[in-house]
Amino acid sequence: ARQDLAGQDLAGRRIVISAGGTREPLDPVRYLGNRSSGRQGVALAEAAAARGASVILVAAHLEVPPPAGVDLRPVSTALELQAAVEAAAATADVVIMAAAVADYRPAERRADKIKKDEAGDTFRLDLVKNPDILAGLARAVPRPAVIVGFAAETEADPAARLELGRQKVARKGCDYLVLNRVGWSQGFATESNDIVVLDRRGDIVNEASGTKLSVANCILDVIVQAGTPDHH
Ligand code: CTP
Ligand code: CA
């Protein structure tokens, strides 16, 4: 039993993790979605719970089973994810936004199935911007002590990718940004991952390459080093 206490460096920390990909409905049978499997967010939740944290997992369409021992909050759309994350964040020390949130949603959600005959050979769809959940959390007063964003960039050149990450962390106002390379065969729906963690200044504070569980522990190491908040 003594040994079970070893490595519990997140004991007493309350961590909210969003995972998966949102779906934005067009009509009762169709949606706009993305290719996020939820594996990295689930690995983070699993690793954080194993290190003693109390974990709320806000889960949008996971393709993998959620870990045991976490408080699971299923959501579908970006607006639902926002409501769930903001409610959970009110009493959290740490928020990690690993979910792939739709940037836009259909301007209207049709009550009945859209018929092919409504339009000609092209179909135009009006989309409206979703709120930026991460930027909103970072701006809130009071706000969780540590806020971590993810950026999946397809830019192939490492220096240019890093620059995109630096700009993104500044724009979002988050404390850390996990910069991830994605492509058709990398990042999404894979078992492994390749990341760097940037701080608010855009400096690299940690990096990992390997399984999504080892990447998760690399990100959690940064959070542990950031320290425990004195108060909430
Ligand atoms: N994110 C969010 N709310 C959104 C869009 C994204 O909270 N409406 C979060 C993601 O969960 C991720 C981070 O912001 O942690 C970065 O997402 P990304 O899509 O890379 O950033 P965007 O600002 O949407 O920029 P772009 O898609 O144009 O690269
Ligand atoms: Ca986006």
Side-chain angles (χ1 to χ4, degrees), residues 93-157:
D93 312 310
V94 180
V95 176
I96 307 176
M97 284 293 295
V101 180
D103 292 333
Y104 294 88
R105 66 180 181 276
E108 79 171 321
R109 176 185 191 158
R110 301 274 289 266
D112 296 304
K113 213 183 133 190
I114 299 166
K115 302 301 288 179
K116 189 164 56 180
D117 287 347
E118 279 177 31
D121 289 342
T122 60
F123 183 89
R124 286 183 190 283
L125 192 57
D126 284 324
L127 303 174
V128 294
K129 210 173 233 167
N130 276 323
D132 191 319
I133 303 165
L134 179 65
L137 285 169
R139 271 196 310 265
V141 183
R143 55 108 119 168
V146 182
I147 299 176
V148 183
F150 269 70
E153 304 290 355
T154 53
E155 168 63 57
D157 175 52

Side-chain angles (χ1 to χ4, degrees), residues 22-25 58 61 73-86 109 133:
T22 62
R23 291 182 182 174
E24 307 298 322
V58 178
H61 305 285
R73 312 264 173 97
V75 296
S76 185
T77 65
L79 292 178
E80 288 169 16
L81 192 138
Q82 178 185 36
V85 167
E86 288 181 356
R109 176 185 191 158
I133 303 165

Side-chain angles (χ1 to χ4, degrees), residues 10-96:
L10 287 170
R13 306 291 293 271
R14 288 166 300 182
I15 305 188
V16 180
I17 298 167
S18 71
T22 62
R23 291 182 182 174
E24 307 298 322
L26 280 158
D27 70 13
V29 296
R30 305 187 179 98
Y31 60 84
L32 299 181
N34 61 70
R35 284 160 50 86
S36 176
S37 67
R39 278 185 178 81
Q40 187 60 71
V42 164
L44 272 163
E46 184 182 351
R51 290 168 70 159
S54 158
V55 178
I56 294 177
L57 179 60
V58 178
H61 305 285
L62 303 181
E63 285 173 17
V64 291
V70 304
D71 180 352
L72 189 69
R73 312 264 173 97
V75 296
S76 185
T77 65
L79 292 178
E80 288 169 16
L81 192 138
Q82 178 185 36
V85 167
E86 288 181 356
T91 55
D93 312 310
V94 180
V95 176
I96 307 176

